[in-house]
Amino acid sequence: MASLSLHPNEHDYQAGKSVETALLRLVVWVKKAMDQQETALAVFLDIEGVFNNTSYDSMCAALFKHGVAYTILWWIRATLEGCMAAVTLGGFSKRVAVSRVCSHGGMLLPLLWCLVVDGLIARLTGGGIYTQGCVDGICLLAVGKFPNTVSGLIQWALHIAETWYGEVGLLVNPDNTGLIVFTRKMNSLVFLHHTFLGLFYVAVCWSSISG
């Protein structure tokens, strides 16, 4: 387990990485885009109940993809499935096995979550989208000369993310999902329309049009 390699764009639950390091890296990308007169479109996704809702199946699948030995994989699964929830009321007690569990200390569940989200980060980064993971949030960033091109890249990334959310059984908080445009082009107004998980989002930016 100690040799597991996480994507460098993951900034959660690791020594030397934090929300601050994630923001610094994002600022570097945005500043570079603006200095080169490009448009950067960022989408911030907030995942609901990371440790409550991430299934054991998706955790074990992530372990398998990272080459963890079957002995360790099944030991971890047995540990997770052995968790019990208990309640006592008026002298009556009830114990049930839980299929998903909160983190109550330790680093096993945070590590497993990192392995799960690692798959999405690698998938999107390979498609030309700068992707960051930090705690229970994901940032997608597309950069290009033309707003419509950037918009198309982000819509593709949102489609991939939507598919991934379905695969691992997670939900996004729509109230905390936002789009931000970074640009120094201020000549004409452009509306960028995006859909995600059945909801419609609009990002507004200014873009120069020559000719």
Side-chain angles (χ1 to χ4, degrees), residues 56 79-86 95-102:
Y56 297 157
T79 300
L80 295 172
E81 292 180 339
C83 293
M84 303 290 293
R95 289 168 58 86
V96 296
V98 295
S99 60
R100 305 183 186 204
V101 62
C102 285

Side-chain angles (χ1 to χ4, degrees), residues 5-138:
S5 177
L6 297 174
H7 197 283
N9 290 349
E10 283 205 55
H11 291 264
D12 42 6
Y13 309 112
Q14 300 174 71
K17 290 192 173 183
S18 63
V19 174
E20 287 77 11
T21 60
L23 286 173
L24 287 172
R25 288 289 303 276
L26 183 61
V27 167
V28 169
W29 274 78
V30 170
K31 186 176 184 303
K32 180 180 178 182
M34 295 178 70
D35 289 344
Q36 295 178 347
Q37 298 301 308
E38 293 182 316
T39 296
L41 176 58
V43 178
F44 299 91
L45 306 175
D46 176 53
I47 303 172
E48 291 186 338
V50 166
F51 297 122
N52 288 342
N53 298 324
T54 305
S55 68
Y56 297 157
D57 287 340
S58 61
M59 292 178 180
C60 291
L63 287 167
F64 177 77
K65 290 178 181 178
H66 282 79
V68 174
Y70 276 106
T71 303
I72 297 176
L73 193 158
W74 288 113
W75 174 83
I76 291 175
R77 175 141 204 153
T79 300
L80 295 172
E81 292 180 339
C83 293
M84 303 290 293
V87 61
T88 300
L89 180 63
F92 295 95
S93 297
K94 181 69 173 179
R95 289 168 58 86
V96 296
V98 295
S99 60
R100 305 183 186 204
V101 62
C102 285
S103 176
H104 294 288
M107 284 301 298
L108 178 58
L109 284 175
L111 172 59
L112 294 176
W113 162 245
C114 287
L115 294 177
V116 171
V117 76
D118 193 79
L120 176 63
I121 294 175
R123 194 181 305 181
L124 290 174
T125 302
I129 299 291
Y130 177 70
T131 309
Q132 283 185 340
C134 188
V135 192
D136 58 356
I138 295 175

